[in-house]
Amino acid sequence: MTDVDRIISSGRILLMDADQTIIENGSIAIDGQDIAAVGGKDDIESRYTAPDIIDAKGGIVMPGLINGHTHAAMTCFRGIADDLQLMDWLNNYIFPAEAKNVNPELAYWGSLLACAEMIKSGTTTFCDMYIFEEETAKAVKQAGMRCLLGEVLFDFPSPNFKTPDEGLAYAESLLKTWAGDDLINIIVEPHALYTCSEPLLLSAKALADRYNAPLGIHLLENQAEKLQLEGKFGKSAVSFLQDIGLLTDKFIAFHCVCMDDDEISLFADHGCKVIHNPESNMKLSSGVAPVPEMIARGVCVGLGTDGCASNNNLDMFQEMDSAAKLHKVHRLDPTVMDAKTTLEAATREGARALGLDHLVGEIRPGKKADIIIIDIHKPHLTPMYHEYSHLVYAVDGADVDTVVINGQVVMKNRRLLTLDENQIMQKVHDISNRIKAGMENI
Amino acid sequence: MTDVDRIISSGRILLMDADQTIIENGSIAIDGQDIAAVGGKDDIESRYTAPDIIDAKGGIVMPGLINGHTHAAMTCFRGIADDLQLMDWLNNYIFPAEAKNVNPELAYWGSLLACAEMIKSGTTTFCDMYIFEEETAKAVKQAGMRCLLGEVLFDFPSPNFKTPDEGLAYAESLLKTWAGDDLINIIVEPHALYTCSEPLLLSAKALADRYNAPLGIHLLENQAEKLQLEGKFGKSAVSFLQDIGLLTDKFIAFHCVCMDDDEISLFADHGCKVIHNPESNMKLSSGVAPVPEMIARGVCVGLGTDGCASNNNLDMFQEMDSAAKLHKVHRLDPTVMDAKTTLEAATREGARALGLDHLVGEIRPGKKADIIIIDIHKPHLTPMYHEYSHLVYAVDGADVDTVVINGQVVMKNRRLLTLDENQIMQKVHDISNRIKAGMENI
């Protein structure tokens, strides 16, 4: 018998491997941060012992979900303005609210709240882009979550930097500070092609290359952006990116709603990654990304919620449901974005999109133990015919019972173990009261 | 001081009246089945006393949601087949499974499970169409829910009747049995224009008229149906309905995905009602109903989930979220289906669509006490800027804490008081095992 730290026992385990393996009555041995072994309950429990046995009987055990794109601290602006034209929403609500209110305190507490919400809905890894990301990193460490995060960069000043060079210096300090960290990974993130000059894009790319980090950017979120960029560059946005050398397999583009066939081909040729954010794209009327085409062409597509101001929650189960249904109705074809494809975008493919597939996205010995247990003993989850279908079309974030990240139990029976959710909610409530008071004074 | 049965105290009350009234710290006096008074906490509680005080402090109090179209007992087929072409799904999965398995036992337990799920996600009234609806009525009475239900009628035999005349006789027996019931209302429901002959439609209409009951039907769910009906009738489906005298203000059409401007005008002229089922329409790739146009033309539109085989849950909060987002992305206009319009479709307008607005849909003295309390002290519901936005874009069915229907508390702190959910889940689990065994034998 081998001693390990904990065993998740007697669950219906979805490995989320390429073979779609499901172990009906399985157990997982977790040693430190790692999955030591997974298999049938009798096999595993005859070979491993542990002081902590987590009973998953009757539950679904699967890899934690991967939220490929969000702005965590924007929880503080959840629902501050809705049902508005994009530019009205941005220029008259979001940008002024951010300019006036975003500071390290908001970034920290907003990120903690996002971590609480994400853990409670089964997300174990997320990719973040916002301001004062050092505060987000602190929050993520406290939560015990896994993250790929970067400071948003643009030509104009942010609440955190006056010049692009200061922004790049802050981004580099993140890369240095968190090098080799178990949970925090750093990405360099110029905001978008309409907010970043070519020199800033090239400096960001050079910085990312120096640290072997990925480069992430909002890209082609809607038709207006596409037209604007074509006017600016005299060619397609993706051709421009190719010409300046940004397209690599470490290039991650968020949204990609308005990509044409040639642009998808360029992405496929260079191994670029895409994060699809269907609920935000729906709510902001951005359009429907050509995700089935991208996947058919071999582009790796992950799934994200985007920030709370345009969703308005961080629930990846609801995001999967929306993703699967949106493409079906858009193409009038119920076979596209089937449950398997959708679930993979939120797990194995999501990990690959973020360059974290050596760590997470599957339940497999040697991978990190990022695992969630879903309680299906509920009226809305009865009966169950097919696990994948259930997870995409019926399960909701609130059905997640227990969450393990990097071998640590961060939620058990829906109680957060690393965070004080009442304190966090009170702090963000106070921050939102200041935001409201400021809005009345405008 | 007036004695009443219970008081819901200290909540943030959304009346869902035309003025969008919100009472920040309000109370509701409930006497028997009825709302006796609603107002500020101090005002109400200085005038009324009750043996049962329900503390709603920190919560949102609002009318129970109205699910305008479902097939309750199809919970037994939740997720039995997904991601398939509509006719493949219907002819090779749903119809065979129904023909083989639907009996009074399935109808009863499946309906009970649906009631449990609906109460737990804040629905207090639903409109049902299925087979053996006497069993559904029994289940609804046991649950203490409010319902408008009807036996599905078509030209061919159902598991419950051999001929249309037997179906009509069963429908009439429902009308007689439940006449004057506090909770059960009966609707006459021919299935669709492609499954019911003109004589059956006319007989159904005559039956409905004799009992002053509404008439409900699936209509124009997708483009194939529209084309088929135009070929059959030599005119539009709605013109045909007008010609045979079916269009009245008691005519309720489910889906209406493929209605053109002329058909919308006919509906507006006759006061016909529409139930919109966005998630089912998305999942089955039926298309996007012209709901903003209908509402602009004055057609009353309610919201429904459709059955569990094409959704795959009965959560009206998720349905609202999908409704609001679907129309925005479809029209590339974020101002359509705003939170207010969407929430009204699930409450006041939903009640009007079903002809139950004299009873429910608003919190107002004299209406029935169908009231839900939502717990917003949760990370994903923090902070809150706007109540309507929160309810449509952030709240989930699992956030419903307490449910009162017809003055009776049917769920308190998420515990069902009228139903034994473990027993119901076990029974449906057993039924699903028989369904699975039967599928393997095909």
Side-chain angles (χ1 to χ4, degrees):
Chain A
M1 298 285 274
T2 305
D3 284 327
V4 292
D5 291 305
R6 56 180 49 92
I7 290 172
I8 295 176
S9 174
S10 317
R12 187 188 297 250
I13 303 176
L14 278 57
L15 300 187
M16 291 312 302
D17 58 349
D19 297 335
Q20 303 174 56
T21 306
I22 296 176
I23 302 169
E24 286 286 334
N25 181 23
S27 294
I28 304 171
I30 298 171
D31 197 32
Q33 303 176 355
D34 304 315
I35 296 170
V38 56
K41 170 187 164 72
D42 292 345
D43 172 38
I44 295 298
E45 296 182 26
S46 67
R47 294 193 287 129
Y48 294 90
T49 58
D52 181 23
I53 308 287
I54 299 173
D55 182 11
K57 194 167 164 54
I60 291 178
V61 179
M62 64 176 289
L65 301 183
I66 294 170
N67 185 345
H69 178 57
T70 191
H71 312 285
M74 289 189 83
T75 50
C76 294
F77 301 113
R78 185 196 309 277
I80 195 169
D82 305 283
D83 305 328
L84 298 168
Q85 295 289 353
L86 180 65
M87 286 301 138
D88 184 15
W89 179 76
L90 267 178
N91 293 324
N92 298 322
Y93 293 87
I94 301 301
F95 287 162
E98 288 186 339
K100 189 161 188 161
N101 295 291
V102 175
N103 57 26
E105 184 198 17
L106 180 146
Y108 175 67
W109 289 103
S111 296
L112 275 180
L113 181 66
C115 290
E117 179 181 353
M118 285 192 274
I119 291 171
K120 295 195 94 168
S121 53
T123 292
T124 54
T125 294
F126 68 103
C127 178
D128 203 57
M129 175 202 277
Y130 207 54
I131 309 158
F132 300 109
E133 283 283 318
E134 191 60 53
E135 302 298 322
T136 302
K138 274 166 52 185
V140 170
K141 281 298 272 191
Q142 192 173 332
M145 288 191 77
R146 194 178 304 281
C147 193
L148 174 66
L149 61 81
E151 183 78 5
V152 62
L153 303 172
F154 27 60
D155 295 331
F156 42 88
S158 98
N160 188 24
F161 56 79
K162 292 198 183 66
T163 66
D165 282 346
E166 282 182 34
L168 287 161
Y170 187 91
E172 182 157 15
S173 78
L174 287 171
L175 287 159
K176 284 181 175 161
T177 303
W178 299 101
D181 191 79
D182 288 337
L183 291 169
I184 309 284
N185 306 277
I186 304 298
I187 179 172
V188 180
E189 297 191 305
H191 173 263
L193 292 182
Y194 58 91
T195 47
C196 297
S197 65
E198 185 174 331
L200 175 53
L201 294 169
L202 293 174
S203 298
K205 172 72 162 74
L207 176 62
D209 287 350
R210 275 205 303 287
Y211 288 85
N212 198 29
L215 190 81
I217 191 166
H218 293 117
L219 185 67
L220 294 170
E221 187 167 349
N222 63 26
Q223 193 64 26
E225 178 186 340
K226 182 186 179 73
L227 293 176
Q228 182 194 342
L229 294 179
E230 284 176 1
K232 179 175 170 184
F233 301 132
K235 60 184 111 173
S236 79
V238 177
S239 292
F240 167 76
L241 287 166
Q242 182 188 32
D243 291 349
I244 66 169
L246 258 62
L247 299 188
T248 71
D249 63 356
K250 295 176 84 70
F251 182 78
I252 308 172
F254 311 119
H255 297 300
C256 300
V257 169
C258 297
M259 282 196 24
D260 62 28
D261 281 350
D262 290 342
E263 292 175 303
I264 294 172
S265 289
L266 284 172
F267 261 48
D269 293 345
H270 290 88
C272 304
K273 311 301 197 293
V274 169
I275 302 297
H276 176 43
N277 306 282
E279 295 202 349
S280 171
N281 297 160
M282 293 171 82
K283 185 155 181 282
L284 295 175
S285 302
S286 303
V288 182
V291 169
E293 289 81 354
M294 291 174 182
I295 292 173
R297 299 286 282 280
V299 176
C300 175
V301 180
L303 194 66
T305 58
D306 207 355
C308 266
S310 61
N311 189 314
N312 295 341
N313 61 43
L314 303 174
D315 187 330
M316 284 289 289
F317 282 100
Q318 291 185 27
E319 201 73 32
M320 287 196 286
D321 186 51
S322 295
K325 286 173 177 161
L326 173 62
H327 294 285
K328 292 181 199 312
V329 75
H330 182 60
R331 279 139 223 282
L332 298 180
D333 179 357
T335 68
V336 299
M337 281 303 274
D338 59 16
K340 167 184 168 289
T341 303
T342 306
L343 200 53
E344 287 178 346
T347 54
R348 195 173 75 245
E349 289 295 289
R352 194 158 74 87
L354 301 184
L356 299 175
D357 48 321
H358 57 298
L359 300 174
V360 295
E362 286 182 66
I363 293 180
R364 179 193 291 264
K367 300 255 179 182
K368 298 299 171 188
D370 288 16
I371 299 166
I372 63 177
I373 305 174
I374 295 151
D375 175 10
I376 59 169
H377 184 66
K378 300 192 177 187
H380 72 283
L381 301 180
T382 301
M384 180 169 75
Y385 292 94
H386 305 289
E387 292 83 356
Y388 283 22
S389 155
H390 232 48
L391 291 164
V392 171
Y393 298 119
V395 169
D396 177 78
D399 301 317
V400 177
D401 183 78
T402 292
V403 176
V404 175
I405 304 177
N406 211 40
Q408 180 186 17
V409 184
V410 297
M411 182 171 81
K412 186 148 191 192
N413 307 138
R414 289 205 68 68
R415 198 166 65 82
L416 294 177
L417 303 182
T418 53
L419 299 175
D420 178 344
E421 69 179 85
N422 286 319
Q423 180 198 25
I424 295 166
M425 287 192 283
Q426 186 56 53
K427 285 282 187 182
V428 173
H429 183 72
D430 294 345
I431 290 169
S432 75
N433 280 339
R434 291 206 299 274
I435 294 172
K436 284 178 202 172
M439 289 170 71
E440 284 158 12
N441 295 335
I442 286 170
Chain B
M1 298 285 277
T2 306
D3 285 327
V4 291
D5 291 303
R6 54 182 50 92
I7 290 173
I8 296 176
S9 174
S10 316
R12 185 188 296 251
I13 303 175
L14 276 58
L15 300 187
M16 291 312 302
D17 58 349
D19 297 335
Q20 304 174 55
T21 305
I22 296 177
I23 302 170
E24 286 285 335
N25 181 24
S27 295
I28 304 170
I30 298 171
D31 197 32
Q33 304 176 355
D34 302 317
I35 296 170
V38 56
K41 170 187 165 72
D42 291 346
D43 171 39
I44 295 298
E45 296 182 28
S46 68
R47 295 193 286 130
Y48 293 89
T49 57
D52 181 23
I53 307 287
I54 299 173
D55 182 9
K57 194 167 164 51
I60 290 178
V61 180
M62 63 176 289
L65 300 183
I66 293 169
N67 186 345
H69 177 59
T70 192
H71 311 283
M74 288 188 83
T75 50
C76 295
F77 301 113
R78 183 196 309 277
I80 195 169
D82 305 283
D83 306 328
L84 298 168
Q85 294 289 353
L86 180 65
M87 285 302 138
D88 184 16
W89 177 77
L90 267 178
N91 292 326
N92 298 322
Y93 294 87
I94 300 301
F95 286 162
E98 287 185 340
K100 188 159 189 162
N101 295 289
V102 175
N103 57 26
E105 184 198 16
L106 180 146
Y108 175 68
W109 290 103
S111 296
L112 274 181
L113 181 66
C115 290
E117 178 181 353
M118 285 192 273
I119 291 170
K120 295 196 94 167
S121 51
T123 292
T124 54
T125 293
F126 68 103
C127 178
D128 203 56
M129 174 202 277
Y130 207 55
I131 309 156
F132 299 110
E133 282 282 320
E134 192 63 48
E135 301 298 322
T136 302
K138 274 166 52 186
V140 170
K141 282 298 271 190
Q142 193 173 332
M145 287 190 78
R146 194 178 304 281
C147 194
L148 174 66
L149 62 81
E151 183 78 6
V152 63
L153 303 172
F154 27 60
D155 295 331
F156 42 90
S158 98
N160 188 25
F161 56 79
K162 293 198 182 65
T163 66
D165 282 346
E166 282 182 34
L168 287 161
Y170 187 91
E172 182 157 16
S173 79
L174 287 171
L175 287 159
K176 285 182 177 161
T177 303
W178 298 101
D181 190 79
D182 289 336
L183 291 169
I184 310 284
N185 306 276
I186 303 298
I187 179 172
V188 179
E189 296 190 306
H191 173 261
L193 292 183
Y194 58 91
T195 46
C196 296
S197 65
E198 184 173 332
L200 174 54
L201 294 169
L202 293 174
S203 297
K205 173 74 163 74
L207 177 62
D209 286 350
R210 276 207 301 285
Y211 289 84
N212 198 29
L215 190 81
I217 192 166
H218 293 118
L219 186 65
L220 294 171
E221 186 168 350
N222 63 25
Q223 194 64 27
E225 178 186 339
K226 182 186 178 74
L227 293 176
Q228 182 194 340
L229 294 180
E230 284 176 3
K232 179 174 171 184
F233 301 132
K235 58 184 116 174
S236 79
V238 177
S239 291
F240 168 76
L241 287 166
Q242 182 188 32
D243 290 349
I244 66 169
L246 258 62
L247 300 187
T248 72
D249 63 357
K250 295 176 84 72
F251 182 77
I252 308 173
F254 311 118
H255 297 299
C256 300
V257 169
C258 298
M259 280 194 30
D260 62 28
D261 281 350
D262 290 341
E263 293 175 303
I264 294 172
S265 289
L266 285 172
F267 262 47
D269 292 346
H270 290 88
C272 304
K273 310 301 196 294
V274 170
I275 302 296
H276 175 43
N277 306 281
E279 294 203 349
S280 172
N281 297 160
M282 293 171 82
K283 185 157 181 282
L284 295 175
S285 302
S286 301
V288 181
V291 170
E293 288 80 354
M294 291 174 180
I295 293 173
R297 299 285 282 281
V299 176
C300 175
V301 180
L303 194 66
T305 58
D306 207 351
C308 266
S310 60
N311 188 312
N312 295 344
N313 61 43
L314 303 173
D315 187 332
M316 283 289 289
F317 283 100
Q318 291 184 28
E319 201 73 32
M320 287 196 286
D321 186 51
S322 295
K325 287 173 176 160
L326 173 62
H327 294 286
K328 293 181 199 311
V329 75
H330 182 60
R331 280 140 222 280
L332 298 180
D333 178 357
T335 68
V336 298
M337 279 306 271
D338 59 15
K340 167 184 168 290
T341 303
T342 306
L343 199 53
E344 286 177 347
T347 54
R348 195 173 76 246
E349 290 295 289
R352 195 157 73 88
L354 301 185
L356 299 175
D357 48 320
H358 58 297
L359 300 175
V360 295
E362 287 182 65
I363 294 181
R364 177 194 292 264
K367 301 255 177 182
K368 297 300 171 188
D370 288 16
I371 298 167
I372 63 177
I373 305 174
I374 296 151
D375 175 9
I376 59 169
H377 184 66
K378 300 192 176 185
H380 72 282
L381 300 179
T382 301
M384 181 168 73
Y385 292 94
H386 305 289
E387 291 82 357
Y388 282 22
S389 155
H390 232 48
L391 290 164
V392 172
Y393 297 119
V395 168
D396 176 79
D399 301 317
V400 177
D401 182 77
T402 292
V403 176
V404 175
I405 304 177
N406 212 39
Q408 180 186 18
V409 184
V410 297
M411 182 172 80
K412 187 150 192 192
N413 307 139
R414 289 205 67 67
R415 198 166 65 83
L416 295 177
L417 303 182
T418 53
L419 299 174
D420 178 344
E421 70 179 83
N422 286 320
Q423 181 199 24
I424 295 166
M425 288 192 284
Q426 185 57 52
K427 285 281 186 182
V428 173
H429 182 71
D430 294 344
I431 289 169
S432 75
N433 280 340
R434 291 206 298 274
I435 294 171
K436 285 178 203 173
M439 288 169 73
E440 285 157 12
N441 295 338
I442 286 170

